[in-house]
């Protein structure tokens, strides 16, 4: 900052020198017995957030739907903030704005007035009411409150219009589960509330994508289109959360696209439901299976060769339609890319963190590249995660040292484990792993939710064969860029 | 009355009293700092965000223990960019990638059984573990949230017990999200509780006071600066060159031991007068420390701030020397931007005080402020806005999303200074934005920061992208703002 003159470009970051001051004179080892998350009650750097976020994500994927959050303002503002950071899009979410009075007298007034205000100004196609820890602790009787809110609406705007707006209640107390479970619960709440009759088979397949980005959902639709199969993608955020800049916009701003309410009603008539991410969507798929006999196909996430193969084969088996030549060519191109790059991926030690399904899908894919997983951290505690990891390792013929598997837990355990290892080549995970990768001095390949420190990840796919190529390229180039002297890369 | 009835508020007329046009002759104070209307699509946050995110977060060397389910902690982890230079060790040879206050997120991760049976045991256990895991932390602040506030956990008892067992400074900040009407309540809560706890701490442990030998006649505290994007790099040297000693900054990049010495200074210089004037006021009442209100944004206001601070200590000449030196560094660049930005129209939507901090700054850049909005401003903020505002400027208190859209369509600004959530709304309407909370490429305070700010405004307005927004069939030079909404 000792510039004689500040140029018109201002103070560039490199001129703003910040001297790091160590908080302690030297490194001291953290107590070993406190490192496994199971040995302590404090959680350091959680690998998950709370349920309402998942439910709001789901509601935003429905056409013209607005989430209404029964809680304090922060529950909404923080989630909107997160969505805006990740998707670089507006996120329209209403809140009941709990103040002290709601905490004392309950949230009935807030809900009834809030629903009314939301409807008469925004005219949403659907309202997804999302609860929070405060409303659950107070013990708000949401079902009867919603009846009152509906009666109140009928008085003001007439029964026909009032009844034309479905309200879906998702119970998401934050003191249980995680955002993944919130999405899972939303998948069940939506089909339970809307898909109430099986009257005429529609020959479609339901897809519950889970917490996948717009780019991923577009890739799934691409696969369906080429299979000649009509799909109903539940919670289709691909348009609402990746909208074009094309003024004029109508006021109030309503994002384009999303799953039409009618399509959700039709889900009971479908051939099958694919829950691409078992932890986020299985509940909805299982419900439809139990209630209407719509077959549930749960997982695996269509990441990499085998994951995508399994998805396409299941589609083929279900509809009897062949897998077309152009998808086979896409697969061939991914295989070709694996053949072109295995010299740089084989035996590389990789650590993966994120939501459980992302971790499982990516683990299967890196095994296809010949990598060796050294640590796998799934943020949401899961009954099946450990078993799934074992199955994937066995199926991939993995014979190396067993990786550390963090099921739930937190990132402190994950990162301290990595710091003790003799070697790690690569970290794959979301933006919460940036510091870990930087401190290990290894590249980070960003996959999963949230990614807020780089641009464009929400717009591109990692699922499908084409997504696999993108992800493979990024993994390989990270390794090359980080570890190879330039003259080694002249003849890849 | 110059109140405004926005079209989007026809069905919630209780919003009418929040919106007005400024008048030169009189100062209109809208309804403000009152309950939010449920379901109106408010942009407000919660009290916990104010306490944990804004004021508690910037303190460099304490553990922020969020006593809550996981979400509250996760959302406040590395969110607001209050930067710090205090790093802990990642490995025996390397410091961590980001500073301690943004590198770790600690919480008690309340589960259902904790909610049912109370979370005190878990909290105490967590605090003791945290201090063992991070021995480099000089203290710990326990933040409560809706959950722990509603079940009534006695966190103060835990704090006393942990302090007894570990000897560390343990503070509590009880500010559940559902208290008050906005973030502002959390600022207030933190101020009051921190002041009281520091006061009783000094009584219990007099050795923490500043020793007489260390005191100088030129000791000041900078209150209400949170070191967003290293603002302190731009303003701290200004005071130091005048010969003043900044004992503590409340609370940007500050060490807790310095914050405990806050009551030992000669003068408090208050920058953010919404979130931190409370503590200055309490120190005035409790310790007779006078305070002055300053603004460190913009050239004119920074000069005024330096002169007023210097006048208190009789250092006027040194202030003039510092100002002359700084002006010489930035004049040429600012002249370029003044020319480029002449007559551009700006709308500002921030938390509150930055609205009136920036009106003058925009005028310095020869721009015109056409509309402002505040999330959580109180009456005194509106007085300050009215004192600085041009005639006929639209003012919206605690706007909701729809009102922001209407504000933009009716005033047609060339630039929208706003936070992260609303900037995307503006963007969809084809209006350039500059992130006014965490900045685009700061710092923005002080003299050098002014150049950064002007540059980011210029980059916003002059970005080529805005030429393409009218579609394939538009003609060059088309600036059809009337087509903003259909």
């Amino acid at each position: 900052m000792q510039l004689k003159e500040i140029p018109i470009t201002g103070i560039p970051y490199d001129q703003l020198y910040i001297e790091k001051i160590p908080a302690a004179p030297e490194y001291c080892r953290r107590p070993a017995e406190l490192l496994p998350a199971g040995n302590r009650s404090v959680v350091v750097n959680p690998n998950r957030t709370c349920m309402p976020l998942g439910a709001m994500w789901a509601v935003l994927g429905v056409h013209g739907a607005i989430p209404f959050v029964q809680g304090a303002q922060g529950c909404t503002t923080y989630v909107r903030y997160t969505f805006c950071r990740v998707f670089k899009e507006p996120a329209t979410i209403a809140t009941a704005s709990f103040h002290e009075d709601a905490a004392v007298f309950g949230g009935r007034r807030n809900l009834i007035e809030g629903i009314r205000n939301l409807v008469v100004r925004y005219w949403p196609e659907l309202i997804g009411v999302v609860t929070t820890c405060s409303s659950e602790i107070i013990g708000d009787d949401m079902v009867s409150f919603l009846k009152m809110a509906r009666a109140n609406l009928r008085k003001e705007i007439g029964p026909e219009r009032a009844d034309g707006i479905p309200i879906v209640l998702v119970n998401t107390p934050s003191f249980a589960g995680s955002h993944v479970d919130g999405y899972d619960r939303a998948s069940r709440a939506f089909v339970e509330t809307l898909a109430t009759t099986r009257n005429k088979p529609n020959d479609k397949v339901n897809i519950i994508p889970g917490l996948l980005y717009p780019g991923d959902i577009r890739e799934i639709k691409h696969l369906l289109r080429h299979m000649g199969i009509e799909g109903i993608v539940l919670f289709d955020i691909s348009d609402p959360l990746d909208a074009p800049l094309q003024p004029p916009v109508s006021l109030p701003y309503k994002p384009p696209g999303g799953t039409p309410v009618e399509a959700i009603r039709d889900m009971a008539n479908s051939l099958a439901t694919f829950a691409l991410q078992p932890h986020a969507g299985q509940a909805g798929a299982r419900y439809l299976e139990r209630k209407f006999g719509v077959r549930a196909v749960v997982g695996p996430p269509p990441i990499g060769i085998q994951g995508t193969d399994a998805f396409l084969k299941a589609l083929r088996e279900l509809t009897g339609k062949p897998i077309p030549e152009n998808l086979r060519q896409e697969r061939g191109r991914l295989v070709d890319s694996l053949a072109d790059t295995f010299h740089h991926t084989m035996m590389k030690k990789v650590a993966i963190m994120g939501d459980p399904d992302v971790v499982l899908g990516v683990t299967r894919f890196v095994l296809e590249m010949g990598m060796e997983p050294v640590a796998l951290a799934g943020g949401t505690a899961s009954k099946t995660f450990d078993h799934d990891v074992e199955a994937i390792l066995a199926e991939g013929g993995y014979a190396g040292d067993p990786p550390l598997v963090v099921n739930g837990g937190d990132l402190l355990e994950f990162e301290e484990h990595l710091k003790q290892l003799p070697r790690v080549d690569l970290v794959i995970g979301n933006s919460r792993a940036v510091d870990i990768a930087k401190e290990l001095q290894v590249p980070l390949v960003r996959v999963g939710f949230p990614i807020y420190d780089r641009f464009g990840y929400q717009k591109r796919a990692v699922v499908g064969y084409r997504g696999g190529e993108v992800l493979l390229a990024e993994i390989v180039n990270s390794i090359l860029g980080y570890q190879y002297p330039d003259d080694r890369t002249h003849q890849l | 009355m110059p109140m405004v009835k926005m079209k989007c508020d026809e069905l919630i007329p209780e919003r009418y009293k929040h919106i007005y046009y400024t008048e030169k002759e009189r100062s209109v104070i809208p309804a403000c700092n009152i309950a939010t209307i449920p379901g109106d699509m408010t942009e407000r946050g919660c009290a916990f965000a104010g306490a944990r995110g804004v004021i508690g977060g910037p303190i460099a060397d304490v553990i922020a223990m969020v006593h809550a389910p996981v979400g509250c902690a996760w959302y406040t982890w590395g969110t607001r960019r209050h930067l710090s230079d205090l790093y802990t060790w990642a490995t025996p040879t390397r410091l961590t990638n980001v500073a301690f206050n943004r590198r770790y997120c600690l919480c008690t991760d309340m589960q259902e059984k904790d909610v049912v049976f109370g979370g005190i045991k878990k909290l105490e256990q967590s605090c003791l573990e945290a201090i063992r895991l991070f021995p480099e932390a000089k203290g710990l602040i326990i933040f409560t949230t809706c959950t722990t506030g509603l079940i009534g956990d006695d966190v103060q008892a835990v704090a006393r017990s942990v302090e007894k067992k570990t000897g560390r400074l343990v503070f509590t900040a009880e500010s559940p999200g559902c208290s008050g009407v906005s973030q502002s309540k959390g600022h207030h809560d933190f101020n009051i509780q921190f002041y009281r706890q520091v006061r009783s701490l000094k009584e219990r442990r007099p050795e923490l006071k500043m020793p007489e030998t260390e005191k100088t006649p030129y000791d000041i505290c900078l209150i209400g600066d949170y070191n967003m994007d290293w603002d302190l790099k731009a303003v701290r040297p200004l005071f130091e060159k005048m010969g003043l000693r900044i004992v503590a900054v409340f609370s940007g990049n500050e060490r807790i031991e310095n914050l405990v010495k806050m009551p030992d200074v000669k003068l408090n210089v208050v920058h953010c007068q919404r979130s931190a004037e409370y503590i200055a006021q309490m120190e005035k009442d409790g310790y007779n420390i006078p305070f002055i209100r300053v603004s460190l944004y913009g050239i004119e206001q920074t000069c005024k701030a330096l002169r007023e601070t210097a006048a208190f200590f009789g250092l006027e000449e040194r202030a003039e020397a510092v100002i002359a030196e700084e002006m010489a560094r930035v004049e040429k660049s600012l002249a370029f931007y003044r020319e480029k930005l002449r007559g551009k129209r700006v709308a500002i939507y921030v938390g509150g005080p930055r609205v009136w901090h920036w009106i003058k700054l925009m005028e310095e850049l020869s721009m015109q402020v056409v509309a402002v909005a505040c999330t959580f401003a109180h009456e005194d903020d509106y007085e300050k806005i009215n004192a600085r505002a041009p005639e006929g400027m639209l003012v919206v208190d605690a706007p909701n999303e729809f009102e922001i859209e209407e504000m933009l369509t009716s005033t047609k600004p060339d630039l929208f200074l706003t936070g992260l959530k609303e900037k995307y709304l503006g963007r969809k309407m084809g209006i350039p934005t500059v992130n006014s909370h965490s900045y685009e490429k700061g710092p923005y305070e002080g003299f050098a920061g002014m150049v950064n700010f002007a540059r980011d405004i210029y980059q916003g307005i002059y970005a080529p992208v805005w030429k393409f927004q009218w579609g394939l069939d538009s003609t060059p030079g088309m600036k059809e703002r009337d087509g903003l909404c259909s």
Side-chain angles (χ1 to χ4, degrees):
Chain A
M1 294 270 292
Q2 290 318 308
L3 302 167
K4 274 244 169 322
E5 197 172 82
I6 310 282
I8 62 166
T9 47
I11 311 159
Y13 269 168
D14 51 357
Q15 288 276 346
L16 194 73
Y17 178 67
I18 307 297
E19 182 136 9
K20 287 187 176 184
I21 300 171
E26 59 190 5
Y27 175 80
C28 64
R29 237 193 162 135
R30 305 200 193 287
E33 75 276 13
L34 285 183
L35 293 181
N39 292 357
R40 49 186 157 89
S41 65
V42 69
V43 168
V44 184
N45 293 2
N47 195 3
R48 62 189 168 93
T49 181
C50 60
M51 276 219 266
L53 181 138
M56 288 180 233
W57 175 308
V59 179
L60 289 176
V62 177
H63 176 69
I66 295 181
F68 180 94
V69 183
Q70 179 75 349
Q73 285 163 164
C75 306
T76 303
T77 301
Y78 272 128
V79 173
R80 291 180 60 208
Y81 183 93
T82 307
F83 286 162
C84 291
R85 269 212 294 183
V86 170
F87 295 105
K88 321 272 188 277
E89 290 289 323
T92 303
I93 302 175
T95 172
S97 289
F98 276 21
H99 303 324
E100 284 97 339
D101 56 341
V104 176
F105 304 116
R108 186 179 70 180
R109 183 190 64 85
N110 299 58
L111 182 82
I112 294 172
E113 282 180 23
I115 294 274
R116 178 264 172 195
N117 292 337
L118 178 59
V119 168
V120 299
R121 291 171 83 230
Y122 275 80
W123 293 105
E125 304 280 322
L126 176 146
I127 299 173
V129 175
V130 176
T131 67
T132 61
C133 32
S134 40
S135 66
E136 298 280 353
I137 290 173
I138 298 165
D140 279 349
D141 178 1
M142 295 301 287
V143 175
S144 64
F145 289 2
L146 284 172
K147 281 193 186 123
M148 292 178 208
R150 175 86 68 196
N152 181 51
L153 267 187
R154 291 170 74 117
K155 269 208 292 274
E156 182 163 356
I157 58 174
E160 206 162 305
R161 291 170 92 187
D163 295 345
I165 301 171
I167 300 180
V168 178
L169 170 66
V170 193
N171 287 91
T172 46
S174 315
F175 45 72
S178 77
H179 59 290
V180 174
D181 301 302
Y183 186 101
D184 201 44
R185 287 189 180 205
S187 74
R188 158 131 192 193
F190 268 79
V191 293
E192 202 170 345
T193 312
L194 299 171
T196 50
T197 43
R198 184 174 173 90
N199 44 14
K200 51 170 194 305
N202 59 15
D203 283 340
K204 293 178 182 173
V205 297
N206 303 326
I207 305 278
I208 307 180
L211 296 149
L212 288 177
Y213 284 140
D216 292 312
I217 293 180
R218 292 197 179 113
E219 186 64 25
I220 298 290
K221 287 178 175 171
H222 157 87
L223 294 174
L224 289 174
R225 203 167 37 243
H226 285 283
M227 286 290 293
I229 295 170
E230 264 195 271
I232 298 172
V233 178
L234 182 61
F235 309 139
D236 179 1
I237 58 161
S238 63
D239 291 325
L241 291 176
D242 188 11
L245 197 167
Q246 274 175 318
V249 293
S250 59
L251 297 192
Y253 174 77
K254 288 184 177 171
T259 314
V261 174
E262 279 318 306
I264 305 176
R265 291 192 201 283
D266 200 21
M267 283 173 75
N269 293 315
S270 299
L271 291 168
T273 309
F274 284 77
L276 299 182
Q277 295 194 351
H279 295 85
Q282 181 168 204
R286 294 272 180 235
Y287 173 82
L288 286 174
E289 187 172 52
R290 271 199 311 276
K291 180 102 180 165
F292 301 110
V294 179
R295 197 173 130 196
V297 183
V298 177
I303 298 176
I305 298 263
Q306 298 164 90
T308 311
D309 284 356
F311 178 56
L312 293 182
K313 283 177 182 168
L315 286 173
R316 177 173 65 185
E317 186 202 339
L318 196 76
T319 59
K321 294 189 175 178
I323 296 170
E325 183 53 30
N326 65 343
L327 293 185
R328 290 170 187 272
Q329 283 185 355
E330 280 179 18
R331 183 179 190 276
R333 286 192 203 105
L334 176 56
V335 174
D336 191 57
S337 300
L338 286 168
D340 289 339
T341 56
F342 67 84
H343 274 302
H344 311 295
T345 57
M346 289 284 284
M347 295 185 188
K348 289 285 185 294
K349 309 234 178 268
V350 59
I352 305 168
M353 57 74 78
D355 295 338
D357 300 302
V358 173
V359 173
L360 293 168
V362 172
T363 302
R364 188 178 275 113
F365 191 31
V366 298
L367 288 171
E368 288 166 1
M369 300 173 206
M371 291 187 162
E372 298 180 3
V374 290
L376 304 170
T380 303
S382 144
K383 290 191 180 81
T384 56
F385 186 72
D386 299 88
H387 174 261
D388 289 343
V389 168
E390 273 173 41
I392 288 172
L393 294 176
E395 172 195 322
Y398 176 72
D401 295 334
L404 169 83
V405 179
V406 184
N407 180 357
D410 62 21
L411 292 176
L412 183 74
E413 178 178 3
F414 177 74
E415 73 175 66
E416 290 293 330
H417 174 78
L418 294 181
K419 282 172 183 167
Q420 307 306 332
L421 290 176
R423 186 179 177 85
V424 179
D425 293 302
L426 178 74
V427 178
I428 300 178
N430 57 45
S431 291
R432 294 292 190 199
V434 170
D435 298 331
I436 301 171
K438 277 262 163 64
E439 287 159 22
L440 293 166
Q441 293 185 302
V442 299
L444 170 70
V445 171
R446 290 169 176 80
V447 178
F449 168 83
I451 298 172
Y452 45 72
D453 66 329
R454 287 290 181 272
F455 174 74
Y457 283 82
Q458 81 282 20
K459 291 170 184 274
R460 56 171 229 196
V462 297
V463 301
Y465 300 126
R466 298 193 306 183
E469 283 201 75
V470 171
L471 184 53
L472 174 65
E474 174 135 0
I475 287 173
V476 172
N477 288 333
S478 304
I479 292 170
L480 296 177
Y482 237 86
Q483 303 189 331
Y484 280 58
D486 285 344
D487 50 11
R488 285 286 301 280
T489 55
H490 291 176
Q491 296 176 19
L492 290 177
Chain B
M1 281 295 275
M3 302 317 268
V4 180
K5 295 184 175 178
M6 276 195 170
K7 197 161 155 283
C8 64
D9 288 339
E10 276 169 359
L11 292 155
I12 43 170
E14 51 274 56
R15 287 286 315 160
Y16 290 163
K17 58 184 186 290
H18 290 267
I19 307 165
Y20 69 103
Y21 283 120
T22 52
E23 291 186 347
K24 272 274 173 254
E25 304 80 68
R26 59 182 180 148
S27 177
V28 184
I29 305 296
C32 58
N33 198 32
I34 58 170
T36 323
I37 300 166
D40 78 343
M41 215 59 83
T42 182
E43 303 284 353
R44 279 175 164 179
C46 63
F48 166 75
R52 161 71 183 95
V54 177
I55 309 192
I59 304 174
D61 59 351
V62 295
I63 294 166
M65 174 66 72
V66 179
H67 185 38
V70 70
C72 301
W74 192 88
Y75 297 123
T76 45
W77 175 21
T79 306
R80 212 161 181 264
R81 294 186 43 232
H82 37 236
L83 307 181
S84 157
D85 55 11
L86 188 81
Y87 288 71
T88 186
W89 292 93
T91 63
T93 56
R94 253 196 306 276
L95 290 168
T96 48
N97 180 42
V98 298
F100 184 65
N101 63 341
R102 299 175 82 248
R103 175 65 177 85
Y104 298 104
C105 159
L106 284 88
C107 70
T108 51
D109 189 19
M110 296 282 282
Q111 297 296 307
E112 196 157 2
K113 66 173 195 313
D114 306 316
V115 170
V116 174
F117 298 112
I120 300 189
K121 278 204 181 81
K122 191 173 196 182
L123 174 65
E124 175 155 353
Q125 182 66 21
S126 296
C127 290
L128 295 171
E129 287 167 358
I131 287 167
R132 281 186 61 207
L133 279 168
F134 300 102
E136 59 272 55
K138 298 288 182 294
L140 189 142
I141 305 178
I142 301 168
F143 294 90
T144 62
T145 65
C146 293
T147 302
T148 42
L150 285 167
I151 63 176
D153 275 354
D154 185 358
V155 295
Q156 290 183 23
V158 174
R160 282 193 296 272
S161 158
V162 173
E163 186 167 334
K164 207 172 273 156
K165 287 176 181 166
T166 63
R168 299 293 157 95
L169 308 179
V170 185
F171 298 89
T172 57
E174 295 186 70
S175 185
C178 48
S179 56
V181 299
S182 68
Q183 297 94 311
S184 191
K185 175 71 168 138
H187 308 152
H188 200 162
D189 284 343
F190 193 97
N191 274 253
I192 293 174
Q193 293 171 23
F194 189 73
Y195 173 82
R196 286 181 185 158
Q197 289 170 35
V198 167
R199 198 170 175 124
S200 75
L201 181 71
K202 288 169 83 105
E203 280 163 20
R204 284 201 312 275
R205 298 175 58 180
E207 77 276 9
L208 295 171
K209 284 185 189 160
M210 193 190 298
E212 287 303 318
T213 49
E214 193 193 315
K215 288 185 184 177
T216 77
Y218 299 111
D219 288 350
I220 60 166
C221 245
L222 181 55
I223 291 195
D225 198 300
Y226 304 113
N227 199 25
M228 300 307 288
D229 220 355
W230 278 108
D231 270 339
L232 288 170
K233 277 271 184 198
V235 297
R236 217 183 157 110
L238 304 177
F239 290 97
E240 284 166 356
K241 275 188 213 159
M242 295 196 307
L244 300 171
R245 186 171 79 113
I246 298 186
V247 171
V249 177
F250 183 78
S251 59
N253 187 27
E254 201 42 277
R255 316 298 190 252
I256 195 76
E257 61 168 357
N258 296 336
L259 287 170
V260 174
K261 292 175 186 169
M262 276 171 67
D264 301 321
V265 298
K266 304 285 179 290
L267 173 75
N268 280 326
V269 178
V270 185
H271 190 205
C272 180
Q273 293 144 46
R274 175 73 283 129
S275 66
E277 194 179 298
Y278 314 103
I279 201 161
Q281 201 79 51
M282 284 183 284
E283 291 196 356
K284 188 178 168 198
D285 297 343
Y287 294 95
N288 292 324
I289 301 170
F291 71 87
I292 54 168
R293 301 182 175 99
V294 303
S295 179
L296 296 167
Y297 285 109
I299 302 296
E300 195 184 315
Q301 294 181 133
T302 309
C303 292
K304 188 165 172 260
L306 296 180
R307 285 185 180 122
E308 283 178 7
T309 315
F312 181 87
F313 294 99
L315 297 168
E316 290 88 342
E317 280 174 27
R318 297 182 73 163
E320 292 311 321
V322 171
I323 289 169
E325 183 191 346
E326 291 290 333
M327 291 289 270
R329 293 170 74 202
V330 298
E331 245 164 359
K332 213 160 133 191
S333 293
L334 288 179
F336 167 82
Y337 287 119
R338 261 195 296 275
E339 204 41 54
K340 289 285 181 189
L341 301 175
R342 190 169 303 285
K344 298 288 182 196
R345 301 158 61 84
V346 196
I348 308 175
Y349 169 41
V350 283
R354 262 186 269 211
V355 164
W356 49 261
H357 278 303
W358 286 353
I359 291 175
K360 277 264 182 293
L361 182 150
M362 296 302 145
E363 284 171 5
E364 280 182 16
L365 289 172
S366 63
M367 297 163 77
Q368 185 193 350
V369 184
V370 291
V372 302
C374 312
T375 308
F376 51 72
H378 299 204
E379 286 83 352
D380 53 337
D381 292 297
Y382 289 105
E383 279 165 16
K384 290 169 186 158
I385 288 172
N386 293 334
R388 292 167 171 80
E391 178 80 13
M393 182 181 80
L394 179 66
V395 184
V396 186
D397 170 72
N400 53 60
E401 202 167 288
F402 208 157
E403 285 168 358
I404 291 172
E405 291 167 353
E406 190 165 322
M407 174 176 105
L408 294 175
T409 45
S410 63
T411 58
K412 301 188 175 54
D414 298 301
L415 178 81
F416 185 27
L417 295 174
T418 184
L420 182 123
K421 300 192 308 293
E422 304 78 31
K423 74 179 183 187
Y424 294 106
L425 271 183
R427 195 163 299 174
K428 284 285 179 272
M429 302 163 100
I431 299 170
T433 56
V434 172
N435 183 335
S436 316
H437 292 265
S438 291
Y439 307 161
E440 298 291 344
K441 306 181 284 298
Y444 287 176
E445 281 179 15
F447 295 91
M450 178 75 169
V451 179
N452 283 342
F453 202 2
R455 175 206 61 208
D456 284 348
I457 289 171
Y458 166 85
Q459 290 181 349
I461 294 178
Y462 282 88
V465 54
W466 308 117
K467 292 188 304 210
F468 311 126
Q469 62 173 310
W470 306 110
L472 262 172
D473 304 317
S474 62
T475 49
M478 179 170 169
K479 278 183 80 171
E480 195 45 77
R481 267 293 147 75
D482 300 330
L484 203 58
C485 62
S486 54

